[in-house]
Structure formats: structure tokens, C-alpha cells
Amino acid sequence: MATQSRPVTAAPELLAYVDDLRVDADRMDGYAQRLRGAAETLGNCAGAPERCRAALERQATACVTAAVQLRSAATTLLTHAAE
């Protein structure tokens, strides 16, 4: 007996969570921009320790990494929901 395959629709809660992950990823990208701006400002300030600028750059990079991971998680959830 052949079975018909039905399209799978994700639960509204899952779709809302995916949207939240994407919003958080965008927020992390924004934080990275702000941190890089602060690092640039400190770089133009006489007497500001270089380690502060370097720390801000590291944090900005971590925010970008987090954004990539959040978007990947959102994509994975959608793929899983469609299976």
C-alpha cells in the first residue's frame, strides 16, 4: 500500500523561535559594529591603552561569530522541521 507524503509545516512556536534567533543574530552584528566603532574611537585617543582596543576587537569578532552560529541554528531548525 502506497502512502502519500504530506508537506510538513513547522509549528508556529518553532517558526517564532527561528525568527527570534535571526533577530538575535542581527543584534549581535549590530553589537560588533558598535564595538568596532568604540575601538576606532579609542585608537584615536591619545594615551588610550592598545590592549583596550584589542579587547574590543576580540569582542566584536566574537559577536560576529555568534551571529553566524545563531543563523546556522535557525537554518538547522527549519531543515529539521521540514523533515
Side-chain angles (χ1 to χ4, degrees):
M1 178 167 135
T3 60
Q4 290 182 327
S5 62
R6 290 184 272 157
V8 176
T9 57
E13 298 86 9
L14 178 63
L15 294 177
Y17 192 67
V18 167
D19 286 341
D20 288 346
L21 289 172
R22 290 178 175 159
V23 167
D24 288 344
D26 290 344
R27 190 174 294 133
M28 295 305 288
D29 282 334
Y31 293 149
Q33 288 176 345
R34 290 173 58 188
L35 287 163
R36 287 198 170 113
E40 184 177 336
T41 299
L42 277 178
N44 295 327
C45 293
E50 179 57 34
R51 68 182 177 274
C52 291
R53 184 176 180 192
L56 290 169
E57 287 291 345
R58 284 192 305 275
Q59 290 302 312
T61 299
C63 287
V64 170
T65 299
V68 168
Q69 291 171 341
L70 287 164
R71 286 188 183 95
S72 176
T75 300
T76 300
L77 281 175
L78 283 178
T79 300
H80 175 72
E83 291 178 346

